[in-house]
Amino acid sequence: MSQPLSAYPIGTPGVVWGPAEVAAWRARQTRQRSYADDVLTAIERLRSRFDVSEYGTLDYAPERFPLYAVRSRDWRDERPTMLVTGGVHGYETSGVHGALQFLERDAARYAGRVNLLVVPCVSPWAYERIHRWNPDAIDPNRSFREPSPAQESAALLRLLAPLRERVLMHIDLHETTDSDESEFRPALAARDGVAYEPGEIPDGFYLVDDTENPQPAFQQAIIEAVARVTHIAPADAKGEIIGSPMMAPGVIRYPLKELGLCAGITHARYTTTTEVYPDSPRATPAQCNDAQVAAVCAAIDFALAHDRARAAAGIRPG
């Protein structure tokens, strides 16, 4: 059953937001944590072991946010490239901290075997406000297309443009939270002038595979690794997870490129979007971070093993 459009405090029922409504929404957003303290300080500690580069700046006057990518110091073009992104939605905390934890604790074991490129926090303004959108009320994770309406997405597109054909694996780290239903989906309905249709938040971890390039064995390897850290989301009574059919335990599919999702930004053979559930009474913040790291390691391990197997069989990349 849909809820009245007037349930959200901004906008006129049935009317798409204009600049005044976006400004009213932005005025309600408050800074709740520090990108500099939480993220930039952690990245600074990595400089002795990785190459750290500023790939852009978000200019939201009077605020400016430098954007950083962390990559293998011993980069070699002949090695497979593994891409990890986090914080596309700033409120999805374990995506950011899971990426940083992976760099701090686990990345070293891949040295000399792969090229690692990690972007821990794509959306720092939203990270500080614990929100899904950027200041223009745009969802960066529906904006990975040219020309992009989101500064965050456009900057990442520019960074990855030279590597789109070279990335073997891309894992994008996300969360599904209770606030999706209490705030973000009602806000989306109000912004777009449509009725809000309540959904069901799955209790547990799940993955989003690519409808156009499904890789079921890859997804299953990640699910098996994460199941040792936290629980996997079951399907609902309809056999679905957030409105999509469950294709395998803990796995659904979206058309990544068509929807402008981050995981579709390259032409990688292996792609996935993680979805951790931080509000579960069965999961701690540490478990959420650990689940993201387990997913990253399993994704790299699978892609690396199967890339070698394909090469041994004389199958060219792609």
Side-chain angles (χ1 to χ4, degrees), residues 95 180 192:
D180 285 356
D192 294 346

Side-chain angles (χ1 to χ4, degrees), residues 59-80:
D59 188 2
Y60 292 126
E63 296 179 281
R64 299 179 79 250
F65 298 91
L67 300 168
Y68 286 97
V70 182
R71 69 178 72 206
S72 302
R73 177 149 292 166
D74 59 340
W75 191 283
R76 298 288 185 273
D77 287 344
E78 65 272 15
R79 294 175 186 156

Side-chain angles (χ1 to χ4, degrees), residues 178-193:
D178 288 346
S179 58
D180 285 356
E181 284 297 322
S182 64
E183 167 62 25
F184 301 127
R185 290 175 187 161
L188 174 64
R191 186 197 69 182
D192 294 346

Side-chain angles (χ1 to χ4, degrees), residues 218-243:
F218 173 65
Q219 311 298 332
Q220 191 57 38
I222 298 172
I223 289 291
E224 289 175 0
V226 173
R228 295 192 283 270
V229 177
T230 190
H231 58 291
I232 305 304
D236 62 20
K238 297 179 181 178
E240 298 176 339
I241 296 177
I242 60 165

